[in-house]
Amino acid sequence: MHMELQGKHIVLGVTGGIAAYKAAELTRLLVKAGATVQVVMTAGATHFVTPVTFQALSGRTVFTDQWDGRVANNMAHIDLSREADLILVAPASADFLAKVAHGLADDLLTTMVLARDCPLLAAPAMNRQMWENPATQRNVATLTVDGVTLLGPGCGEQACGENGDGRMLEPEEIVEDLLAFLQPKCLAGKKVLITAGPTFEAIDPVRGITNLSSGKMGFAVARAAREAGADVTLVCGPVAQPTPRGVTRIDVRGALEMHAVVMARAAAQDVFVGVAAVADYRPQAAAEHKLKKDDGALPAIALVENPDILADVAALPNPPFCVGFAAESRNLAEYAQKKRDRKKIPLIAGNLIQHGFGGDENTLTLFDEAGQTPLHPGPKIELARSLIGHVARLLEHR
Ligand code: C5P
């Protein structure tokens, strides 16, 4: 992860629950992402993990006590929340949620939360029955109406040996949700369909023709669209990438399958982004059995052309806003604009193939009717966010 939280000051509240041990890892991830982290613990939390752990990881002394003598004016709750860009409470116990829902302030953390002038995010963590209890559900509904953002909880194995809802999200998931929270919701309510990765065109049961593509750029576009508030479906060829949170993923293999899955959904979309490196050709028919080496005779594989998924979506009677990708080894502007015309799409993102494939960083230039917009070279997620911002602006003026 790069320094995505540079310049952000986060107050991390830790309440009493066994998931408190995961808050240590969360602290490390937030610091690694560039945030300054001020940890505030409830008395209960200190029974599970000691403040020393958080002090070492955050590089700041931890506050646990409302009457802490270190704060000269005895206003720790005001001082601590005044500096914060946001307050994140993880784990958030049932008791903490209940207190905040009712405006109670009987310790440093709840007093600080009541006195805040910044967003509050909470990652609930509790036993399944405590989560399902109508009182907790009432409190959660109240908190949502009050504008508190709840991250999770997840479902799965619990420390008590049970299985169900109430498990705290993993630290990585909390950071991903927090980063999403910070992005502008410029595609709220929109439906976005994305293709990513290579396609694999079978020759026989064990061989095939494919393209070099890690899928990273397409996955970054899916994540950025989701962060912007869109309902995202990601259709991908064989890749080894984790699915971005909140994205619906459909795995496919060959171009024909990708074409069918996309065409079945395209008309209902607001935006279609073709990032996949689709194979231009496929073997006419895949052999049922593994091809054997025949003495002397060189095998010939008859190829047929694959459909152009992007061009077919753009040719629909009422097409979604279509975005293409063009990777060229030279003459980027000329080739990209020609491709845009040929496929009849409003926007194409082009890059020069120069750094090889599969990296986390890229260079992109956007080509549309108005001309070209070079994006700052950088991590693929940053480029994807810029691309999504550009798409949202063009959609607005359509
Ligand atoms: O024609 P070319 O492959 O260079 O165009 C690249 C763009 O077209 C990408 O957005 C890619 O996802 C899309 N494409 C497609 N179906 C194909 C070939 C390319 O959707 N068969």
Side-chain angles (χ1 to χ4, degrees):
M1 193 193 312
H2 60 286
M3 302 292 268
E4 286 184 83
L5 290 173
Q6 185 91 59
K8 294 277 182 234
H9 182 68
I10 297 174
V11 168
L12 175 62
V14 182
T15 72
I18 183 57
Y21 84 92
K22 290 192 184 176
E25 177 66 6
L26 177 60
T27 305
R28 198 186 67 81
L29 291 177
L30 294 172
V31 169
K32 203 173 150 198
T36 52
V37 180
Q38 174 61 60
V39 177
V40 176
M41 301 173 80
T42 63
T46 62
H47 289 282
F48 290 93
V49 189
T50 78
V52 178
T53 303
F54 290 103
Q55 180 176 330
L57 291 167
S58 66
R60 287 169 164 250
T61 47
V62 170
F63 286 84
T64 56
D65 179 8
Q66 206 166 355
W67 314 112
D68 197 312
R70 283 171 299 179
V71 183
N73 60 4
N74 258 338
M75 297 240 187
H77 58 291
I78 305 286
D79 281 4
L80 291 173
S81 67
R82 194 175 279 159
E83 298 165 5
D85 289 301
L86 60 91
I87 300 176
L88 169 64
V89 179
S93 64
D95 178 66
F96 171 79
L97 297 179
K99 280 180 183 160
V100 178
H102 291 86
L104 292 179
D106 64 353
D107 63 5
L108 176 57
L109 183 60
T110 47
T111 312
M112 211 186 69
V113 162
L114 196 62
R116 80 184 184 281
D117 182 24
C118 67
L120 170 64
L121 288 76
M126 67 200 72
N127 155 275
R128 175 177 65 83
Q129 262 139 354
M130 292 172 85
W131 173 253
E132 284 166 7
N133 190 296
T136 304
Q137 289 304 310
R138 260 196 320 273
N139 293 333
V140 164
T142 302
L143 291 171
T144 307
V145 171
D146 288 351
V148 176
T149 301
L150 292 180
L151 311 180
C155 185
E157 212 177 289
Q158 302 199 312
C160 53
E162 292 193 36
N163 223 301
D165 288 336
R167 199 171 186 277
M168 190 173 85
L169 296 183
E170 294 303 326
E172 294 79 6
E173 296 175 317
I174 293 176
V175 174
E176 198 175 326
D177 281 3
L178 186 138
L179 288 169
F181 172 84
L182 295 172
Q183 304 309 316
K185 304 294 168 229
C186 59
L187 287 184
K190 301 279 190 230
K191 285 177 70 104
V192 179
L193 182 65
I194 297 162
T195 64
T199 63
F200 181 89
E201 312 298 335
I203 295 172
D204 69 12
V206 293
R207 305 185 181 93
I209 302 170
T210 190
N211 272 323
L212 278 182
S213 167
S214 66
K216 280 183 182 170
M217 193 65 222
F219 276 60
V221 173
R223 181 177 154 195
R226 177 69 196 135
E227 288 177 342
D231 172 358
V232 182
T233 307
L234 175 62
V235 184
C236 56
V239 290
Q241 300 293 335
T243 313
R245 283 178 58 67
V247 166
T248 305
R249 167 178 180 162
I250 304 174
D251 287 285
V252 298
R253 213 155 83 119
L256 281 187
E257 196 189 342
M258 184 177 273
H259 184 263
V261 168
V262 167
M263 295 315 288
R265 291 165 178 76
Q269 306 294 322
D270 297 293
V271 179
F272 173 68
V273 192
V275 198
V278 183
D280 291 324
Y281 305 98
R282 67 177 183 278
Q284 196 161 26
E288 193 185 339
H289 295 287
K290 188 176 168 187
L291 299 179
K292 288 292 172 198
K293 223 174 184 178
D294 254 343
D295 290 357
L298 283 176
I301 300 169
L303 297 177
V304 290
E305 200 170 341
N306 272 327
D308 189 317
I309 302 171
L310 181 56
D312 283 358
V313 173
L316 285 171
N318 190 11
F321 183 91
C322 286
V323 185
F325 268 73
E328 305 291 348
S329 56
R330 61 196 173 116
N331 301 343
L332 177 61
E334 185 196 332
Y335 289 163
Q337 286 290 20
K338 274 194 183 144
K339 203 167 280 186
R340 197 174 75 82
D341 287 344
R342 182 158 39 84
K343 299 195 190 227
K344 299 196 172 53
I345 54 174
L347 176 64
I348 197 155
N351 69 295
L352 270 179
I353 309 162
Q354 51 190 3
H355 311 297
F357 285 108
D360 290 322
E361 307 224 339
N362 206 352
T363 307
L364 270 191
T365 304
L366 306 183
F367 300 91
D368 58 22
E369 213 180 32
Q372 50 177 291
T373 313
L375 301 182
H376 271 294
K380 287 180 177 172
I381 182 63
E382 292 297 344
L383 293 168
R385 286 178 186 143
S386 303
L387 169 67
I388 289 297
H390 197 87
V391 168
R393 282 190 293 279
L394 292 179
L395 264 185
E396 226 173 82
H397 297 115
R398 199 150 74 133

